[in-house]
Amino acid sequence: RFPMTLLMCQQTPTYAALFTDTLGTDTRGGKNQPVLYATKVWTYLHANMAMVVTGLSDLGDGFDDRIRRRMGIRDIEELNKVATADLQQLHAGLLKWYEENFPGEPVGTATIYVFGFPAGSSEMVRYTYRSPKNFESERKVETEPMFFAKPPPRDGTFTVPMSREEAVALATLIREENGDGTEEGTVAIGGDLHVTFLEPNRISSELIHRFEDYEEIWQSMNGYAERKP
């Protein structure tokens, strides 16, 4: 499993900007070994929505497959009708698989965020589904611009970034505070920093920063793949 880590989000009444890193790590044995770079936002132009997962990446992969294959999903509201049941079923199956294949290894929690526009509307909606709450649906429409970072800076306070440079600076601060992600309550952040924009009938993504140790981590991934049986 490869935990999903950094998410910074700006949501307004009419659009959302999602900032994510690309580092995936293997957390078995209490370690945090970098193993891949991956895109951490799933987008669905046909439904004008996007999904981000923090925590258990396999849950995001499974839910993505359900979304793409399930008939009758044209927007975020249609997805919400089936999301809780689908996530509960997928999560239960993953817990069973982990116990069979990695007995005693902690699985951790997962939070699913879905952003999008109801059909015929330009109002941005966010649904949140959390494993500790059994994936019960939490709907949120922001009447004023808001911003959150997960994980946040250690002191819990920060200035909302008003530019890409400020977003990069905040992500870099959070990354430095979390180190290699092996300490309790920390996560590993690295690779690239991407931003994905959602607007009515438009989704776009950009690479806005590459962390300075990208190549060093890439080489360590290749060495790990060669050593792995």
Side-chain angles (χ1 to χ4, degrees):
R1 60 188 182 276
F2 312 115
M4 297 302 190
T5 50
L6 178 67
L7 169 62
M8 304 191 306
C9 168
Q10 181 182 48
Q11 182 178 339
T12 78
T14 58
Y15 82 89
L18 312 174
F19 299 84
T20 54
D21 73 319
T22 60
L23 180 62
T25 60
D26 184 346
T27 60
R28 288 175 295 175
K31 300 178 181 179
N32 222 353
Q33 169 65 46
V35 292
L36 54 77
Y37 289 133
T39 301
K40 298 183 178 181
V41 178
W42 291 262
T43 59
Y44 311 92
L45 187 57
H46 69 284
N48 213 183
M49 66 183 185
M51 173 182 66
V52 185
V53 179
T54 60
L56 193 58
S57 62
D58 287 338
L59 187 61
D61 289 332
F63 194 40
D64 169 65
D65 188 63
R66 291 282 182 97
I67 293 171
R68 296 186 186 280
R69 293 173 180 270
R70 183 183 282 279
M71 298 175 63
I73 302 298
R74 67 170 182 168
D75 68 1
I76 192 170
E77 301 295 358
E78 294 292 338
L79 175 63
N80 181 60
K81 294 177 182 178
V82 298
T84 295
D86 276 3
L87 288 168
Q88 289 171 343
Q89 183 184 58
L90 288 165
H91 190 245
L94 285 171
L95 291 180
K96 180 180 179 182
W97 186 86
Y98 285 136
E99 182 58 33
E100 292 173 349
N101 290 273
F102 307 110
E105 288 283 346
V107 176
T109 60
T111 302
I112 310 287
Y113 300 91
V114 182
F115 301 82
F117 301 91
S121 171
S122 60
E123 180 179 68
M124 169 59 63
V125 175
R126 179 179 82 247
Y127 278 102
T128 306
Y129 310 90
R130 310 174 197 270
S131 59
K133 296 185 177 181
N134 202 26
F135 301 105
E136 291 301 322
S137 171
E138 302 171 36
R139 189 180 192 273
K140 186 67 175 178
V141 173
E142 301 293 349
T143 58
E144 298 291 338
M146 62 76 66
F147 186 95
F148 71 83
K150 185 176 181 181
R154 284 184 177 172
D155 64 5
T157 63
F158 57 88
T159 300
V160 174
M162 302 302 292
S163 67
R164 295 183 184 191
E165 292 76 16
E166 291 178 358
V168 169
L170 178 58
T172 301
L173 170 65
I174 295 172
R175 179 178 190 258
E176 290 173 350
E177 290 183 344
N178 278 265
D180 63 3
T182 56
E183 292 185 16
E184 183 71 24
T186 64
V187 295
I189 298 168
D192 292 326
L193 185 66
H194 292 168
V195 60
T196 299
F197 297 100
L198 277 82
E199 303 169 85
N201 304 311
R202 183 170 182 263
I203 301 174
S204 61
S205 298
E206 296 180 39
L207 165 63
I208 62 171
H209 180 67
R210 175 158 288 178
F211 293 107
E212 71 281 353
D213 56 358
Y214 178 98
E215 187 64 27
E216 178 184 345
I217 291 177
W218 173 250
Q219 295 301 328
S220 75
M221 291 177 186
N222 292 334
Y224 175 76
E226 292 172 358
R227 294 192 305 271
K228 188 176 180 182

